[in-house]
Amino acid sequence: MLRLSSCCRFASTAARTSYFPARVKVTARGHMYKKWSSTMAAISPILTVQPTRGLVDEKIMVVVKNLPQCFAVTLHSLLYSEGKDYWEAFGNYTSDDKGTVTVSQDASVGGTYEGTEPMGLLWSMQPVPGSRPGLRLRKMNVLTPMVVHISVYSGHVTEGFSKQSPLATVDIERWYLAPGVRRIDIRENGVKGTLFIPPGTKALFCPDRNTQLCITALIVIDTFKLLDRFTPGSTKLYIEVYRMHYLQRNKLQIYSALLTSILLPFCVSGPGPFPGVLDLWGGGGGLVEYRSGLLASHGFVSMALEYLSSEISASNVDDKYFEPRCCVCVSGSHVQPVNKSLSEFFSKFTADMNSSRWDDEGRLIVRDITVPIPTEPGEKVDVGRIKCPVILIVGEDDQSWATVESAEDITQMMRAAGNEHLLTTFRYPGAGHLIEPPYTPHVRASNFKKQNTRDKVVMLWGGFLKLHADAQEDSWEKILCFLQHHLYPRQDSVSQAKL
């Protein structure tokens, strides 16, 4: 498990301490409260959270000591988001005969989660009552942490936390970037992205400007479009001192600053070389960095690429410049027109929106657009041509994309082509479309802008809280193991970053 040094010099962002007020509701246990009030002057609860500074995929240990025996308390977490909204989670506990509550061992008897859930105070977060509708918690500035206030309250509280004074509070920082990870903006010749480099590679230079580097891994969301045309040896990256330089030909060539073993002679110092990952998000577009930053914190050079935006027209994106060693597809489908640009694809997608439907709460369900899976070869990617290992991460309650049906059809196509041995599928019952890094709060639906029209809708993503949280934790572990297995071929030959 990766840990962040307590002495690392990151600037922390203090969260606000008040939020949407609500009515106080506390479980009544009169004799216990009398006992507590009479001993409060002599006994003060001790709340500890370890680590207080760590990566977002790192587990925390929450313990409350120095309580009376069998005493009812509520543990509460509060986060003030970049969107200026408050998110909270809470669990109701009863201390043991030693006056202790250990979240990793004791069961919550009520709250936003129940049972023994060591990370329930994070993954079960939801907007506080009275918040704006359709919210989704995403970290856009990875250079600052998410600051979470962990507090303990007297009694089994279910609402109105802002009206009470906590018995104790501890602030923790959750980071997507480990100490030493470098973030580099890429804005050249129409290419827009962000490169994250793990600690260790202090300077990069290339005496031969024609040195060729190849993509080692590809992570995609929603679509298999970019797996359709792998051209060996077609990805070229030219490195100059401390900066990246890209070439542009007839169409935009999507490059990734992917440092493979060929870079070893050019690393001035440090434990590298590091394998590289190109991180592509889905139809929402924009530059999303947090997963790439987290991958770099685990020892992978990662580039988050913005390939769908108002500045980068989808019609300019060519998809034939990839030759990865492996690919991870999260909540994806291969159903899309072949030999057509992404602009044409989205035009067709918009036209097919007539096949979508709305649920009783006015939330858009678009998964029906690709069901049934077409049989015409020109309507879906020829996955039989894939020559690298692939894993599919599939949520069986995905309401945004027909991922279950797509995974089954992909399996049949690759079996017929003789390359099924390259495919591994992980299916998660009760998980929805938005399968994020571990402990990310799940939202079943959220606000969304259509890519072509930019119309605002509430999109139904699917997923059930506990099952989705389990899927996020398990799939992330499998993704990291998959990348390490295929990108670090010999553990004794490559030294990984030590954070």
Side-chain angles (χ1 to χ4, degrees):
M1 187 63 64
L2 304 181
R3 289 185 179 274
L4 292 169
S5 170
S6 60
C7 62
C8 66
R9 300 190 179 187
F10 280 134
S12 64
T13 302
R16 290 166 59 182
T17 57
S18 62
Y19 59 100
F20 187 83
R23 181 172 56 88
V24 177
K25 182 178 180 181
V26 181
T27 302
R29 288 189 181 184
H31 66 286
M32 292 303 298
Y33 294 143
K34 290 179 181 178
K35 178 180 178 180
W36 174 255
S37 59
S38 63
T39 59
M40 194 169 181
I43 301 177
S44 297
I46 300 174
L47 171 64
T48 60
V49 184
Q50 294 293 333
T52 56
R53 181 177 293 166
L55 294 177
V56 294
D57 59 352
E58 185 174 3
K59 289 186 177 181
I60 58 174
M61 295 286 295
V62 182
V63 179
V64 187
K65 295 182 178 180
N66 214 30
L67 294 167
Q69 296 180 4
C70 303
F71 187 74
V73 294
T74 298
L75 280 161
H76 177 259
S77 60
L78 179 66
L79 168 69
Y80 186 61
S81 72
E82 292 174 335
K84 300 182 179 180
D85 298 288
Y86 285 99
W87 293 68
E88 68 175 357
F90 62 93
N92 301 142
Y93 292 88
T94 301
S95 62
D96 61 17
D97 56 1
K98 297 180 180 179
T100 299
V101 172
T102 304
V103 173
S104 62
Q105 301 174 7
D106 299 332
S108 167
V109 297
T112 55
Y113 63 96
E114 294 184 353
T116 305
E117 297 292 343
M119 300 299 291
L121 286 169
L122 296 180
W123 60 251
S124 72
M125 276 189 166
Q126 54 192 336
V128 300
S131 297
R132 296 176 296 142
L135 294 177
R136 177 184 176 187
L137 184 61
R138 305 183 86 182
K139 191 76 173 72
M140 303 312 294
N141 181 9
V142 297
L143 298 178
T144 62
M146 293 188 294
V147 179
V148 183
H149 304 280
I150 307 292
S151 302
V152 57
Y153 289 83
S154 174
H156 285 170
V157 186
T158 60
E159 60 185 13
F161 292 93
S162 64
K163 293 293 187 179
Q164 292 196 75
S165 297
L167 303 176
T169 299
V170 173
D171 293 345
I172 65 172
E173 294 180 359
R174 306 288 288 175
W175 288 87
Y176 282 96
L177 296 187
V181 173
R182 289 187 293 155
R183 178 187 177 277
I184 302 173
D185 286 321
I186 306 296
R187 303 289 189 276
E188 295 194 32
N189 295 330
V191 176
K192 184 177 181 180
T194 306
L195 178 68
F196 294 92
I197 302 178
T201 307
K202 296 182 180 179
L204 303 176
F205 64 93
C206 183
D208 178 7
R209 285 177 56 87
N210 292 320
T211 297
Q212 176 175 304
L213 303 179
C214 292
I215 293 172
T216 58
L218 181 67
I219 293 184
V220 296
I221 299 292
D222 290 346
T223 177
F224 257 83
K225 178 69 174 171
L226 298 173
L227 282 178
D228 188 32
R229 307 174 188 170
F230 294 153
T231 303
S234 61
T235 300
K236 296 183 179 180
L237 175 66
Y238 298 87
I239 301 181
E240 297 179 333
V241 179
Y242 299 111
R243 64 189 296 268
M244 299 295 169
H245 177 70
Y246 292 87
L247 299 182
Q248 184 177 12
R249 297 185 179 179
N250 294 332
K251 293 185 178 180
L252 172 65
Q253 299 185 10
I254 305 176
Y255 292 106
S256 58
L258 302 172
L259 310 181
T260 59
S261 57
I262 194 172
L263 194 58
L264 181 59
F266 313 131
C267 293
V268 174
S269 64
F274 303 102
V277 178
L278 180 61
D279 190 7
L280 304 175
W281 284 82
L287 182 57
V288 184
E289 299 182 356
Y290 55 85
R291 186 174 57 198
S292 282
L294 190 57
L295 286 169
S297 299
H298 284 275
F300 302 97
V301 169
S302 184
M303 181 175 177
L305 180 70
E306 180 172 2
Y307 67 107
L308 295 176
S309 72
S310 57
E311 299 178 17
I312 304 175
S313 172
S315 61
N316 292 328
V317 177
D318 201 343
D319 55 8
K320 62 183 179 181
Y321 298 99
F322 296 93
E323 188 191 3
R325 290 185 191 171
C326 60
C327 176
V328 178
C329 185
V330 182
S331 302
S333 175
H334 63 317
V335 178
Q336 47 219 286
V338 179
N339 297 323
K340 292 185 179 180
S341 69
L342 291 176
S343 178
E344 293 173 302
F345 164 69
F346 277 110
S347 295
K348 183 179 184 303
F349 184 84
T350 301
D352 291 341
M353 289 293 286
N354 293 331
S355 302
S356 60
R357 54 191 170 91
W358 305 80
D359 69 359
D360 295 338
E361 299 182 35
R363 301 175 298 188
L364 183 62
I365 304 172
V366 299
R367 72 179 312 277
D368 297 342
I369 290 178
T370 54
V371 178
I373 302 297
T375 57
E376 298 82 359
E379 294 299 316
K380 54 187 179 181
V381 173
D382 184 6
V383 294
R385 298 173 58 188
I386 293 176
K387 298 180 181 180
C388 68
V390 176
I391 62 171
L392 304 180
I393 305 298
V394 178
E396 293 189 354
D397 190 51
D398 192 332
Q399 300 298 313
S400 177
W401 216 238
T403 52
V404 173
E405 295 85 349
S406 293
E408 293 171 349
D409 192 62
I410 288 170
T411 302
Q412 295 176 8
M413 292 178 65
M414 295 184 70
R415 181 180 301 137
N419 62 343
E420 185 186 7
H421 63 284
L422 297 173
L423 178 66
T424 303
T425 303
F426 297 106
R427 293 177 54 161
Y428 295 96
H433 184 75
L434 302 179
I435 299 179
E436 301 263 36
Y439 320 127
T440 300
H442 168 60
V443 291
R444 186 168 174 81
S446 70
N447 299 325
F448 183 79
K449 288 184 179 181
K450 297 179 182 178
Q451 182 60 38
N452 267 20
T453 64
R454 309 310 293 169
D455 292 339
K456 294 182 180 180
V457 297
V458 177
M459 187 75 75
L460 182 63
W461 306 111
F464 300 93
L465 181 59
K466 167 60 176 164
L467 294 174
H468 192 91
D470 290 343
Q472 291 188 151
E473 184 173 3
D474 185 77
S475 63
W476 181 249
E477 180 180 351
K478 286 181 167 57
I479 288 171
L480 291 180
C481 290
F482 176 79
L483 294 175
Q484 290 166 356
H485 175 73
H486 291 288
L487 304 186
Y488 283 111
R490 298 194 310 275
Q491 292 295 326
D492 57 346
S493 65
V494 178
S495 175
Q496 299 188 37
K498 300 182 183 300
L499 307 183

